[in-house]
Amino acid sequence: MNLSAEVLKHQPTVEKYAKQYGISDYVNYLLAIMQVESGGTAVDVMQSSESLGLPPNSLGTEQSIEQGCKYFASLLALAKAKGCDINTVVQSYNYGGGFIDYVASHGKSIPLNWRSASQRRSPAVSK
C-alpha cells in the first residue's frame, strides 16, 4: 500500500507515540491504518475517538495519534495473549477488541482484506 504525503507528514508523531507505548516495530502498520482511516487529511487522523467512547472526530490530530497508538498497543497485547496474528490486530482496530476473541475461537488468524477494513465489513463475508 502506498502512503500519501499527508500520512507521511505524521510519521514523526506516530514514531514518538509508538515508542512511548512500546510498539515501535509497528509504525508501518500504524501509518497504513491512518491511510485507510483518513488518508491523513482529517483532524482525527487515526479515527481513534470512538476507541475512547467519544463521538467520531472528537480528538485533535496529536491526540488522535496518541490514542491510536495506545489503542493499537492494547489490541496487540490482547492478540498476543490469545495467540492471534497481526492481521487480527489490524482488523480489530476497526471492529474492537471483541473481534480478537472471535478470531481466537475460530482459528487464531484471518486473511487481511484492506478493502473490508476500510468499509467496515467483516472479512469473513468479503470476496
Side-chain angles (χ1 to χ4, degrees):
M1 171 177 278
N2 293 326
L3 299 175
S4 67
E6 291 83 2
V7 167
L8 290 173
K9 77 177 182 181
H10 297 292
Q11 186 169 348
T13 307
V14 171
E15 289 171 347
K16 170 186 168 182
Y17 288 110
K19 182 177 181 182
Q20 179 176 323
Y21 290 103
I23 55 170
S24 292
D25 291 344
Y26 297 91
V27 167
N28 288 337
Y29 286 95
L30 293 160
L31 293 171
I33 288 170
M34 184 187 298
Q35 183 69 52
V36 171
E37 292 291 335
S38 73
T41 60
V43 174
D44 185 357
V45 292
M46 297 290 293
Q47 297 293 292
S48 58
S49 298
E50 294 140 287
S51 69
L52 286 171
L54 299 172
N57 302 309
S58 295
L59 296 176
T61 301
E62 187 156 349
Q63 292 173 306
S64 176
I65 294 169
E66 180 178 11
Q67 177 57 25
C69 290
K70 182 178 179 180
Y71 182 55
F72 185 90
S74 70
L75 294 171
L76 184 62
L78 180 60
K80 284 182 178 181
K82 299 210 176 241
C84 294
D85 65 0
I86 187 63
N87 293 342
T88 303
V89 176
V90 173
Q91 289 291 109
S92 293
Y93 190 89
N94 278 308
Y95 299 143
F99 186 66
I100 294 171
D101 293 327
Y102 171 82
V103 172
S105 66
H106 290 85
K108 300 190 187 279
S109 68
I110 59 164
L112 183 60
N113 183 321
W114 284 103
R115 171 182 264 169
S116 67
S118 68
Q119 295 172 353
R120 298 183 186 245
R121 291 194 318 246
S122 171
V125 296
S126 299
K127 303 260 185 215

